Amino acid sequence: MKKIYILLFAFIAGLSGKAAAQETSDKNDFGTDLSLGIDKKLAPGLSLGIEGGMRTQSNSERIDRYTIGADLSYKFLKLNKFSMKIGGGFEYMWVQKLSETKEKHGDVLDEATGEFVRGVNGYNITDRYWRNRHRTTLSVSGEYSPSKRWSFSLKESVQYNHYCEEDSVGRTKIRYRYNDDDEPYTTTTRDLKAVNPKDRFVLRSKFTAEYNIKGLPINPFASVDYGCGLNYTAHKWKISAGADYKINKKNKLTAFYRFQTDDDDDEPNGHIVGVGYKLSF
């Protein structure tokens, strides 16, 4: 009879952990990115951009975020084949954090020896929730065009990210206990937890290569974007490939594929396919 209880205990634990972890994004996640933008030239070399967007996650079954932002850039150096810009921007995001399961460790009965050993004896399951965030960016970039077809650019940015506080996030606690006869039973409780605000600084380096196809309004591009935390430990990579399609002088469509990965919980890891439209005037 004790063996049956132990097997039942393990079965319930496995199902609970699997069900709770279904929404958590991993390195195999797939999402989409849609954006709309406007660029306005305010003066020679000075431009204002406004952009809004939406991104999905969890194999595009859940919204990852809604964003709206603006940036200002100034081209302060323009030579024959080389130019430089400085810029600043602000972005506000409504970000959805997927449900998350964390193991709790404690005493678990070892069937072989009949003694209690340390192991997984429960889970904390945090509900998915929305959390507001805003980002301020300062950047400097340089572009080199050795010919009419090729251009290469390097952009260095410092980002300040503020994650707002959330004080009513639902949490389920599942614990596996033993009675006086060493028979396992399950307890489940619900409560609300607070998510404290936090501030993070990130240094980003982005290298982009672009090619203009002769006779076609299509510019293929590829980029590598690396970010590292300044006031915390983080390594972020975004590797992208895509193309700009110039409908006319004022309208442009962009399509891209991106693989991204990082070792914190800032963004879901995995694959993203995106489409963007921009109007310039």
Side-chain angles (χ1 to χ4, degrees):
M1 181 63 69
K2 182 180 292 187
K3 184 175 182 179
I4 295 176
Y5 279 124
I6 296 297
L7 292 175
L8 181 61
F9 169 32
F11 178 73
I12 294 173
L15 284 182
S16 300
K18 181 179 180 181
Q22 282 179 345
E23 281 196 335
T24 303
S25 292
D26 57 24
K27 292 183 179 180
N28 296 316
D29 192 26
F30 173 79
T32 56
D33 186 295
L34 302 175
S35 65
L36 293 172
I38 297 174
D39 271 348
K40 171 64 176 176
K41 291 185 178 180
L42 303 178
L46 183 64
S47 297
L48 172 67
I50 299 174
E51 186 173 273
M54 179 192 75
R55 191 184 302 175
T56 64
Q57 61 181 324
S58 189
N59 294 318
S60 291
E61 295 179 356
R62 298 285 187 191
I63 296 296
D64 175 30
R65 67 191 61 189
Y66 298 103
T67 63
I68 186 168
D71 66 86
L72 194 66
S73 64
Y74 177 65
K75 184 179 291 186
F76 65 91
L77 178 64
K78 186 176 182 180
L79 304 176
N80 185 28
K81 296 182 178 182
F82 183 74
S83 64
M84 293 192 71
K85 287 182 181 181
I86 57 172
F90 179 83
E91 187 176 22
Y92 200 88
M93 294 171 272
W94 295 264
V95 182
Q96 182 173 205
K97 176 72 172 176
L98 296 182
S99 61
E100 183 179 23
T101 299
K102 291 186 177 180
E103 296 178 344
K104 300 300 292 184
H105 293 80
D107 291 335
V108 177
L109 184 65
D110 186 339
E111 182 185 358
T113 63
E115 298 179 352
F116 283 93
V117 297
R118 187 164 182 80
V120 177
N121 69 345
Y123 297 90
N124 283 347
I125 305 170
T126 303
D127 297 345
R128 58 187 175 92
Y129 63 94
W130 290 88
R131 187 181 192 184
N132 297 348
R133 185 195 312 174
H134 60 78
R135 173 184 295 161
T136 303
T137 303
L138 296 176
S139 66
V140 59
S141 61
E143 182 175 331
Y144 174 63
S145 302
S147 68
K148 293 181 179 180
R149 302 296 170 205
W150 285 100
S151 66
F152 304 91
S153 64
L154 179 64
K155 183 178 181 180
E156 298 290 331
S157 306
V158 176
Q159 294 179 337
Y160 161 67
N161 298 272
H162 177 74
Y163 298 70
C164 301
E165 180 183 12
E166 288 294 329
D167 58 2
S168 299
V169 178
R171 179 174 59 178
T172 301
K173 295 180 180 180
I174 299 176
R175 298 291 184 267
Y176 304 107
R177 310 296 188 191
Y178 297 88
N179 60 24
D180 293 338
D181 295 324
D182 292 338
E183 297 170 340
Y185 65 94
T186 303
T187 63
T188 303
T189 58
R190 287 277 297 174
D191 64 5
L192 297 176
K193 75 169 188 175
V195 180
N196 295 327
K198 61 184 178 182
D199 299 294
R200 288 182 169 178
F201 289 87
V202 179
L203 177 64
R204 304 201 73 105
S205 301
K206 183 178 181 180
F207 176 77
T208 304
E210 184 173 339
Y211 180 74
N212 174 254
I213 300 177
K214 185 177 181 180
L216 293 177
I218 299 176
N219 287 16
F221 64 84
S223 66
V224 177
D225 186 336
Y226 171 70
C228 63
L230 297 179
N231 65 335
Y232 74 114
T233 301
H235 302 279
K236 305 166 178 285
W237 289 93
K238 295 181 180 181
I239 302 173
S240 306
D244 293 329
Y245 173 67
K246 295 181 179 179
I247 302 172
N248 51 45
K249 289 184 178 180
K250 294 184 177 181
N251 298 274
K252 181 177 72 174
L253 283 174
T254 301
F256 67 88
Y257 161 79
R258 175 185 300 150
F259 175 76
Q260 62 184 36
T261 179
D262 59 49
D263 52 9
D264 66 5
D265 59 354
D266 193 21
E267 296 182 356
N269 292 324
H271 311 274
I272 292 179
V273 173
V275 177
Y277 166 78
K278 183 168 287 186
L279 170 65
S280 300
F281 61 96

